[in-house]
Amino acid sequence: MASDTRTHDVRDELVVVPLSHPWRWISGAVIVLVIAGLGWAMSEARIQWEDVPGFFTHPVMLEGLLNTIVLAVAAQGGAIVLGVVVALMRLSANPVARWFAVGYIWLFRGLPVLLQILIWFNLALVFEDISIPMLFSVPTNVVMTAFVAALLGLGLNESAYMAEIVRAGLSSVDEGQTEAAKSIGMTPMTTLRRVVLPQAMRVIIPPTGNNFINMIKGTSMASVIAFTELIHAANNISSRNLEIMETLFAAAAWYLVMVSVASIGQHYLERAYGPR
Amino acid sequence: MALVEAIGVRKSFGHTEVLKGIDLEVERGEVVCLLGPSGAGKSTFLRCVNHLETIDAGRIWVDGVPVGFRSANGKLHELREREAAHQRRDVGMVFQRFNLFPHRTALENIMEGPVQVLGRGRAEVRAEALALLERVGLAEKAGAHPAQLSGGQQQRVAIARALAMKPKLMLFDEPTSALDPELVGEVLDVMTSLARDGMTMIVVTHEIGFARSVADRVVFLVDGAVVETGTPADVLDNPQQPRTQQFLAKVL
């Protein structure tokens, strides 16, 4: 009765062999082995692991941490404000403003941050005073502390990137939005504040969060001008006890903590401005 | 004096002259439909009335005020964008693509103008905005974001948003052209009731049926010039110009 077989469930008669994935098992095993090997190597290394927590909470390290946070936040905050201004100039109807913005981005994005920090820090070599004639004058080496030099070097470089990010964000908002705002009598400033910027934020926030994470790590370059950020703090501690790797690991842990916090913050910001 | 008076309005984009001297008067409470083939300059003219485009020659007055200018000492001074914004308060506009603010709810879209532009209190504006939503039949959608609304619902919110400014004049730029056919009616119904309430309206549309039943006057544009104008009965049922006859033969 050949027709009967059709009413049976085919699985009753034929055994199904699931697809096997041998390479998944092999590659997984390789990865686990590599990690275990690295862990074993670390435990065998001549590192005083028990000293690391002490360096993590060492007063000098905490001072470096605070300085790192202040520098990163100040540089990023300034860069955002400057970036918005430069982006608006870049999009303005005034050709001089447009050219200035293009040149600004070209210069501050084009030079290495380390070079910019060194130039600001050594400014006193070429300008004795910083002054606007008849208004004020101050000696350059009084103003240009390590913090200020690092702030300018990091912040101006970042502002060039922020200008491009903000410009991309503003350009992403449909022209119809501006026209609708105009049609209910909104001024250009109100339109920017209430209609264009809130929508541009969706495009602006992800790369800005990314850049801020870069900024946190970029503050380490201020160590070359003896600003006491995390790495300089680690060096200060290890110069006394020669536990170089232990102090660097403690600094590394702080970077990971800061970056993790920044990532979480970015996640919530993105959600707040995300699509509805 | 008519509410809208346009004399010899010209406008070019690059080397293309889109408006070649348009004359038009719209009386208070009048509904004027602009008809014509695409590229005739209907939308451009409408945008000029609201100063979204600057005209190259001619003059447009809305309620006796020259659009885009301030007259002082016998001269017309071009307005700054901030001053132009002030002029636009009195003119509502509805766009083909709705252009609701996607980051705000329907209610917030309607409140935005009165609160941010006129600086009025949120509480009273809120009450008015809810009444406007009721009027366009969307009272239950106050908290919805534009993305959650159909095209027809979005366009009705957009009409309410324009009405919230209590305009003297409403401009409609092909308000149903981006809608699915079955959603066109709900928008036209709102516009019809608005016309019945005495709102002065200039409507760029391809809805001949709407023009016939609601318009007081129909203006037929071709290639940036007025070809024929008159009551719907005159222009739609008894067109005198060959170009009008040609167009109507195709769309009717």
Side-chain angles (χ1 to χ4, degrees):
Chain A
M1 298 270 277
S3 62
D4 274 356
T5 57
R6 255 182 266 148
T7 62
H8 286 291
D9 187 334
V10 285
R11 272 172 297 186
D12 292 344
E13 294 155 26
L14 300 172
V15 176
V16 174
V17 181
L19 185 60
S20 64
H21 297 282
W23 285 106
R24 282 188 194 167
W25 289 96
I26 293 168
S27 56
V30 168
I31 292 168
V32 169
L33 271 177
V34 167
I35 291 173
L38 284 173
W40 177 77
M42 281 301 206
S43 66
E44 288 296 292
R46 277 175 289 147
I47 298 173
Q48 312 292 321
W49 288 109
E50 65 279 7
D51 290 352
V52 174
F55 295 141
F56 188 72
T57 53
H58 193 289
V60 176
M61 189 67 83
L62 293 180
E63 186 200 342
L65 173 71
L66 181 67
N67 284 340
T68 293
I69 293 172
V70 169
L71 179 58
V73 169
Q76 189 69 42
I80 289 172
V81 174
L82 272 178
V84 170
V85 173
V86 175
L88 290 176
M89 291 174 88
R90 180 82 176 72
L91 295 169
S92 108
N94 181 345
V96 180
R98 277 205 309 273
W99 293 336
F100 174 83
V102 169
Y104 180 97
I105 294 167
W106 172 78
L107 183 68
F108 288 111
R109 196 173 61 173
L111 294 175
V113 181
L114 185 56
L115 179 78
Q116 295 190 46
I117 292 175
L118 289 172
I119 286 176
W120 287 115
F121 193 58
N122 291 297
L123 203 65
L125 297 179
V126 288
F127 297 111
E128 215 168 281
D129 301 297
I130 295 173
S131 64
I132 293 176
M134 323 252 266
L135 279 180
F136 76 95
S137 175
V138 284
T140 303
N141 55 14
V142 172
V143 182
M144 202 53 72
T145 60
F147 175 79
V148 172
L151 182 68
L152 285 171
L154 288 163
L156 291 176
N157 174 259
E158 176 63 15
S159 72
Y161 282 96
M162 282 310 304
E164 289 293 87
I165 291 171
V166 171
R167 179 173 70 96
L170 294 178
S171 307
S172 75
V173 179
D174 182 42
E175 184 62 26
Q177 290 292 308
T178 311
E179 292 190 346
K182 278 182 174 180
S183 79
I184 54 171
M186 273 197 190
T187 59
M189 265 318 285
T190 313
T191 303
L192 184 68
R193 189 170 55 81
R194 296 286 302 178
V195 177
V196 177
L197 266 183
Q199 294 183 64
M201 288 309 260
R202 270 176 65 187
V203 176
I204 291 174
I205 286 172
T208 302
N210 219 28
N211 278 18
F212 180 57
I213 285 169
N214 255 329
M215 172 65 78
I216 291 172
K217 296 173 295 175
T219 53
S220 59
M221 279 181 279
S223 61
V224 299
I225 53 171
F227 178 66
T228 308
E229 45 65 64
L230 274 175
I231 289 188
H232 195 257
N235 287 341
N236 279 349
I237 299 171
S238 62
S239 66
R240 270 168 266 160
N241 56 26
L242 300 179
E243 293 193 63
I244 293 172
M245 284 300 259
E246 289 78 358
T247 52
L248 285 180
F249 279 3
W254 273 123
Y255 280 113
L256 291 179
V257 169
M258 286 190 289
V259 168
S260 304
V261 170
S263 304
I264 293 165
Q266 178 181 1
H267 171 77
Y268 281 106
L269 260 182
E270 276 177 33
R271 212 166 64 172
Y273 283 98
R276 284 169 230 277
Chain B
M1 192 179 183
L3 183 63
V4 179
E5 260 186 85
I7 296 175
V9 173
R10 288 177 177 276
K11 172 74 186 173
S12 298
F13 293 112
H15 293 296
T16 316
E17 193 168 41
V18 183
L19 301 178
K20 298 169 180 164
I22 304 272
D23 300 323
L24 182 70
E25 284 191 12
V26 181
E27 298 294 336
R28 269 164 233 278
E30 200 179 14
V31 176
V32 173
C33 281
L34 303 184
L35 303 180
S38 52
K42 309 178 296 287
S43 291
T44 304
F45 177 74
L46 202 68
R47 293 163 59 80
C48 289
V49 173
N50 207 10
H51 197 43
L52 287 179
E53 306 285 355
T54 312
I55 58 179
D56 300 332
R59 205 70 70 217
I60 303 175
W61 287 269
V62 172
D63 205 12
V65 178
V67 171
F69 295 96
R70 173 169 42 85
S71 60
N73 310 322
K75 285 181 185 162
L76 287 179
H77 301 265
E78 236 179 283
L79 290 186
R80 289 177 193 289
E81 189 49 44
R82 219 158 49 82
E83 301 167 307
H86 201 277
Q87 266 189 358
R88 290 195 194 98
R89 292 177 176 190
D90 294 337
V91 182
M93 185 148 186
V94 175
F95 300 87
Q96 182 178 351
R97 304 276 342 158
F98 330 135
N99 296 345
L100 289 179
F101 305 132
H103 55 305
R104 304 197 190 285
T105 63
L107 186 68
E108 288 166 345
N109 264 278
I110 299 170
M111 292 173 64
E112 191 68 8
V115 172
Q116 296 298 325
V117 177
L118 303 178
R120 296 174 51 203
R122 295 192 72 86
E124 55 164 350
V125 170
R126 194 186 147 81
E128 284 180 20
L130 285 170
L132 280 167
L133 271 176
E134 180 91 50
R135 179 167 173 188
V136 298
L138 291 170
E140 77 284 9
K141 296 290 185 186
H145 278 91
Q148 299 163 324
L149 300 173
S150 73
Q153 290 170 334
Q154 287 190 54
Q155 194 61 298
R156 286 186 280 156
V157 173
I159 293 173
R161 176 177 67 179
L163 290 176
M165 295 296 290
K166 303 195 170 109
K168 298 172 186 161
L169 169 69
M170 284 285 283
L171 308 173
F172 294 84
D173 187 3
E174 302 198 23
T176 58
S177 295
L179 296 177
D180 291 341
E182 80 260 38
L183 303 178
V184 168
E186 61 192 60
V187 172
L188 292 182
D189 286 347
V190 169
M191 291 168 63
T192 305
S193 88
L194 201 54
R196 298 259 151 79
D197 292 347
M199 176 61 77
T200 312
M201 295 161 58
I202 306 179
V203 185
V204 172
T205 186
H206 295 295
E207 297 291 333
I208 305 293
F210 173 81
R212 190 193 304 276
S213 62
V214 180
D216 299 302
R217 199 146 50 87
V218 167
V219 176
F220 187 71
L221 268 80
V222 177
D223 291 335
V226 175
V227 171
E228 194 160 354
T229 175
T231 63
D234 288 343
V235 175
L236 298 176
D237 300 332
N238 191 19
Q240 300 299 308
Q241 300 294 324
R243 193 65 187 82
T244 317
Q245 292 165 358
Q246 216 177 18
F247 176 79
L248 289 172
K250 276 187 190 154
V251 298
L252 285 181

